[in-house]
Amino acid sequence: MVAAAPDDDVRSLAGRLAVPPLVARLLWLRGMKETLPAKAFLQPRLADLVSPSVLPDMDVAAARIVRAIKQGERIAVCGDYDVDGMTGTALLVRFLRLAKADVMYAIPDRQSDGYGLSAAGVDRLHAQGVRLVVTVDNGVSAHAALERARDLGIDVVVTDHHLPGSKLPPAVAIVDPQRTDRPAPQQASLCGCGLAFKLAWGVAEVLPGARNDPALRTFLRDAVGLVALATIADVMPLLGENRVLVASGLQSLRGSQHPGVRALLEVAGVNPGGPTTEDVVWKLAPRLNAAGRMNRPEHAIDLFTTDSADRARDLVEELESANNERRQIEKGVVAEALAQAEDRLVDRHSLVVAGDGWHRGVIGIVAARLVDAHARPSVVIGIEGDGGRGSCRTTGNVNLHAALERCGVHLKRYGGHAAAAGLEVDRDRIPAFAEAFEEAVREQVGETQPESMLHLDGEARPEEFTLDVVEQVRRLAPFGAGNPEPRFALRGAQVAGRPRLMGATSDHLSFAVKVPTGAIRVIAFRQAASHDLVASGVPLDLAVTPTVNEWRGTRTAELQASEIRPSQA
């Protein structure tokens, strides 16, 4: 499907911005239809970030933390075991240490505690003398835990970006932009680590001497690197403030002198010009997530809080070990889940699969694999004894949180947001839940069977992709959720010369298409099967993403083809 954009509007925007029409079209399609928002999109700056004071309860939260610092009260930062929760925890721990706070951190045990702050966890913190708890990426639905904290005289500051229920839990402050009583729309897409960053910033605004402390100022500038990791890993839309945080954060990671960051980039094989959003998705996030999935989140948090290069190297080796273990476990669960899914595709708009002993640490990945394979909202449940814990992922047109609300009568517990969620369910309720979830999904999408559709930003001719135009297209990076890599249709492209196979196992395809002045190179990853079609010389319809290839100091325009078909023209 080719997206529609009015030609007159695109030409007008291109003239006002002095950019090629292809670039103006991309901006218009991403909602940047006026001059000032479009300019801000092309030039993201930290100076454009919104003050933390607009967040609900931020002033109360900052004041309570400052009081704890001044009075020497023990503070516990309580995060989650995914990239978002672990990076946000590390960010606040480092900040509070610099502020001379008495601070520790606590992450729930995935196997015994489950998700988020629990009453048992609060009891453990009380035994360790904690007087103030600050949550990261959780807490807005932890009613039992916060009631226990209140009974024990422990104050709690909640920072969470998940949707709250109809009633808020008891807390000193609840910093959540999703609150319906005090919404903060400009902040609504921030991840948990992004909120932790805003909290650190808010505390620094009121902590005596913090504004003139060079260590704290430097830390806040560098901390956007952790926010970038979390924002990309948590699949938050890369628009508005998130675009600023990720663009600045990737630069921060590239130049970071922190031993943990440097060790992670090195072991992940990120080249000196990186990381890019793709590096985060495929190289960095899986290694960090493996720590949480294998119940070793302290390895990731300690990596980002240590000042020792030797300790950092030891920790990244632990992450590698956990990641290798995760891969082996995941492989088996994926095979079983896909087999179950094949038997349940007929007349289904959703997938719910469950298995005894499926490791809780990999079910989220497996759910994402099912969505990729079958383009349906998917729930994967690992059963232990009489109950199970599930992870949910979705396609772009289904709101998971809304769907789970319709199924709540069958669940013990659920939470999350539109794109990802988790749940707990009794074993004997799984079949009823599966039917209720199917009905809830159908309510959102209607009766049309789901299908995988190719979304394109427009049509173009090969000769339009000059080096100058492609470089300006790449100014729209970083790409990710909400700002996908541009993809255009080329109709009736003529192949120049012979294609060739590339890669150690000849999985990739390289060829060229004709332009009036010669040819432009096309790379098609993992599409060796299209070799004979391309070699036949018939005109082709291609879906391509324009990129820049740099080789020995020479930059050339290049196209990456995601689809290759005989031309329909």
Side-chain angles (χ1 to χ4, degrees), residues 346-368:
V346 179
D347 296 328
R348 304 292 288 189
H349 289 57
S350 66
L351 289 169
V352 177
V353 298
D356 282 286
W358 285 358
H359 198 290
R360 295 178 191 171
V362 303
I363 55 176
I365 300 175
V366 178

Side-chain angles (χ1 to χ4, degrees), residues 198-548:
K198 286 294 184 87
L199 179 61
W201 178 3
V203 172
E205 289 285 299
V206 295
L207 182 66
R211 290 189 179 190
N212 298 319
D213 186 329
L216 282 176
R217 290 164 63 93
T218 299
F219 164 76
L220 286 173
R221 286 196 300 268
D222 290 346
V224 292
L226 295 183
V227 180
L229 289 177
T231 302
I232 297 167
D234 222 40
V235 200
M236 306 308 292
L238 301 190
L239 300 170
E241 282 205 297
N242 282 345
R243 176 171 173 78
V244 173
L245 289 165
V246 170
S248 300
L250 291 175
Q251 291 181 8
S252 173
L253 292 172
R254 288 175 200 134
S256 178
Q257 297 304 305
H258 187 272
V261 171
R262 291 174 65 87
L264 179 63
L265 297 181
E266 182 179 348
V267 78
V270 174
N271 63 46
T276 62
T277 52
E278 291 79 13
D279 288 328
V280 173
V281 170
W282 299 109
K283 296 180 178 180
L284 304 181
R287 286 172 166 83
L288 296 172
N289 262 327
R293 296 185 193 284
M294 297 296 103
N295 220 21
R296 304 168 206 163
E298 67 277 3
H299 291 158
I301 297 170
D302 291 347
L303 178 68
F304 291 128
T305 54
T306 185
D307 292 321
S308 166
D310 290 339
R311 176 65 173 149
R313 282 191 292 270
D314 291 341
L315 288 166
V316 293
E317 289 178 7
E318 295 286 353
L319 292 182
E320 283 294 282
S321 175
N323 197 35
N324 290 333
E325 181 182 351
R326 185 269 308 168
R327 284 174 175 155
Q328 292 302 312
I329 294 172
E330 176 193 331
K331 185 177 180 181
V333 178
V334 165
E336 293 181 35
L338 286 172
Q340 278 192 34
E342 289 292 340
D343 296 333
R344 302 179 185 183
L345 287 172
V346 179
D347 296 328
R348 304 292 288 189
H349 289 57
S350 66
L351 289 169
V352 177
V353 298
D356 282 286
W358 285 358
H359 198 290
R360 295 178 191 171
V362 303
I363 55 176
I365 300 175
V366 178
R369 292 288 185 90
L370 291 183
V371 173
D372 290 342
H374 299 300
R376 288 163 171 78
S378 299
V379 182
V380 177
I381 301 171
I383 302 174
E384 297 174 11
D386 294 331
R389 287 184 175 159
S391 189
C392 320
R393 297 295 184 270
T394 187
T395 52
N397 60 342
V398 173
N399 183 314
L400 278 180
H401 193 272
L404 291 180
E405 280 187 321
R406 301 282 288 115
C407 312
V409 65
H410 302 290
L411 302 173
K412 295 172 65 178
R413 183 181 179 193
Y414 67 90
H417 45 75
L423 58 85
E424 293 182 27
V425 60
D426 289 330
R427 177 194 285 265
D428 59 2
R429 301 293 288 178
I430 293 174
F433 162 70
E435 293 306 313
F437 186 70
E438 172 70 12
E439 184 178 340
V441 170
R442 284 176 183 260
E443 286 179 359
Q444 292 191 38
V445 302
E447 293 301 314
T448 304
Q449 278 284 67
E451 62 181 34
S452 181
M453 181 178 290
L454 186 64
H455 294 275
L456 300 166
D457 288 295
E459 296 189 20
R461 301 182 306 277
E463 59 267 27
E464 292 183 72
F465 295 112
T466 64
L467 178 60
D468 176 65
V469 169
V470 173
E471 286 180 332
Q472 294 207 51
V473 167
R474 302 309 294 183
R475 288 178 64 194
L476 274 70
F479 300 114
N483 181 33
E485 281 216 78
R487 190 156 51 176
F488 294 92
L490 300 185
R491 309 275 189 192
Q494 297 284 345
V495 177
R498 301 286 298 175
R500 62 188 181 90
L501 297 175
M502 300 171 53
T505 54
S506 298
D507 290 336
H508 314 308
L509 184 62
S510 172
F511 59 99
V513 296
K514 295 178 182 178
V515 298
T517 56
I520 185 171
R521 187 185 187 213
V522 180
I523 298 293
F525 293 109
R526 293 174 294 281
Q527 296 196 58
S530 296
H531 176 273
D532 291 348
L533 170 62
V534 176
S536 71
V538 301
L540 301 175
D541 287 346
L542 307 173
V544 299
T545 295
T547 63
V548 175

Side-chain angles (χ1 to χ4, degrees), residues 54-56 177-179 182-190 241:
V54 304
L55 285 161
Q178 302 284 1
R179 285 175 56 170
R182 293 179 58 191
Q186 287 181 296
Q187 316 282 290
S189 63
L190 287 173
E241 282 205 297

